[in-house]
Amino acid sequence: MGQFAIIGLGRFGGAAALELMRLGHSVLGVDGDERIVTQYADRLTQAMIVDVTDSDSLADLALADYDMVLVAIGEDVQSSLVCTVHLKALGVKTVWVKASSRAHHLILNKLGVNRIIHPEEEMGIRIAQVLSYPMVNDYIALGNGEFVVEIEASDKLDGRTLGDALMTEPPGNIQALAVKRRGDTTVHPTEQFVVRAKDTLILFGHLQYLKMAAPKLR
């Protein structure tokens, strides 16, 4: 179980905090608005009203002990930047920050944060990619062009082996991590595993090879 702090409990920060709780992590939610903090008081491990532009107030939270701090402050760029500077000065090892503009992004990059997030842009790209490949139910980008994708097997795949369905040239560039069928999950299935229509395939590979296999998976 990880220990996370979410600074800014607006729509983005609140959703991230609740999902981390659902996944079994410990979550500290921080916001300067008492009304918002009250809404999350019973839903997070801890929720606190804090002026995050005040270094002493942030120091009292001992955020350097957390696995990761997400600064999810919305349009108040100044507060986001001041908070980020304080977090770096306090020795917080992993800081992710939501950026609201290109200028915001450039300054955050200079501050050396671990990851800069553009939620609307990233979601737009995600939706476009899923729409381009309608057989993809969900995916996770791992960086360096590598993805884990979840695909529902079409009727065309019924009765075929995984080795045949996932054949690329050169072979072996797509790996089947798991197959889910009516509540049962087969982990690391062999190439001889026989696919049935409506099976859920969890695949790993580089985007170029996943695209290569896409026509056979539809």
Side-chain angles (χ1 to χ4, degrees):
M1 182 177 71
Q3 191 173 20
F4 298 89
I6 310 297
I7 297 177
L9 295 174
R11 291 174 60 187
F12 172 68
L18 293 176
E19 181 64 10
L20 286 167
M21 288 292 296
R22 188 187 70 81
L23 294 171
H25 300 292
S26 173
V27 180
L28 166 64
V30 177
D31 201 285
D33 189 324
E34 180 180 0
R35 179 183 56 84
I36 293 176
V37 171
T38 300
Q39 292 175 0
Y40 285 93
D42 297 329
R43 307 171 74 185
L44 305 180
T45 308
Q46 190 175 12
M48 300 183 66
I49 307 165
V50 177
D51 176 4
V52 297
T53 64
D54 181 75
S55 60
D56 291 335
S57 297
L58 282 177
D60 289 341
L61 300 177
L63 295 175
D65 297 333
Y66 283 67
D67 296 302
M68 190 268 278
V69 177
L70 169 62
V71 180
I73 297 171
E75 298 303 317
D76 190 345
V77 174
Q78 181 174 337
S79 293
S80 171
L81 293 174
V82 171
C83 176
T84 301
V85 169
H86 290 328
L87 292 174
K88 298 296 288 184
L90 290 168
V92 178
K93 295 180 289 294
T94 305
V95 181
W96 289 21
V97 186
K98 174 187 174 183
S100 57
S101 67
R102 181 60 180 167
H104 192 184
H105 180 112
L106 290 173
I107 299 171
L108 289 170
N109 192 49
K110 294 293 184 182
L111 294 176
V113 303
N114 299 86
R115 180 166 177 176
I116 303 170
I117 306 167
H118 295 268
E120 294 81 6
E121 179 181 326
E122 292 182 10
M123 182 54 71
I125 292 171
R126 184 182 182 89
I127 290 171
Q129 290 177 335
V130 171
L131 289 175
S132 294
Y133 299 95
M135 73 287 189
V136 176
N137 294 332
D138 200 3
Y139 73 91
I140 300 172
L142 302 178
N144 299 319
E146 294 178 327
F147 287 78
V148 174
V149 298
E150 179 180 293
I151 295 174
E152 182 176 295
S154 65
D155 292 339
K156 188 169 68 173
L157 292 181
D158 190 70
R160 295 173 61 185
T161 65
L162 276 175
D164 178 39
L166 302 179
M167 176 60 66
T168 59
E169 192 60 45
N173 288 294
I174 299 177
Q175 300 177 35
L177 303 180
V179 177
K180 295 189 289 187
R181 178 183 298 168
R182 301 189 191 90
D184 294 326
T185 300
T186 301
V187 179
H188 297 303
T190 67
E191 291 187 353
Q192 289 71 43
F193 184 93
V194 177
V195 179
R196 294 303 177 194
K198 308 301 182 184
D199 280 354
T200 298
L201 313 181
I202 312 297
L203 310 177
F204 165 77
H206 195 281
L207 182 59
Q208 71 178 89
Y209 295 112
L210 291 168
K211 285 182 175 180
M212 188 185 303
K216 297 194 299 181
L217 299 175
R218 289 193 176 101

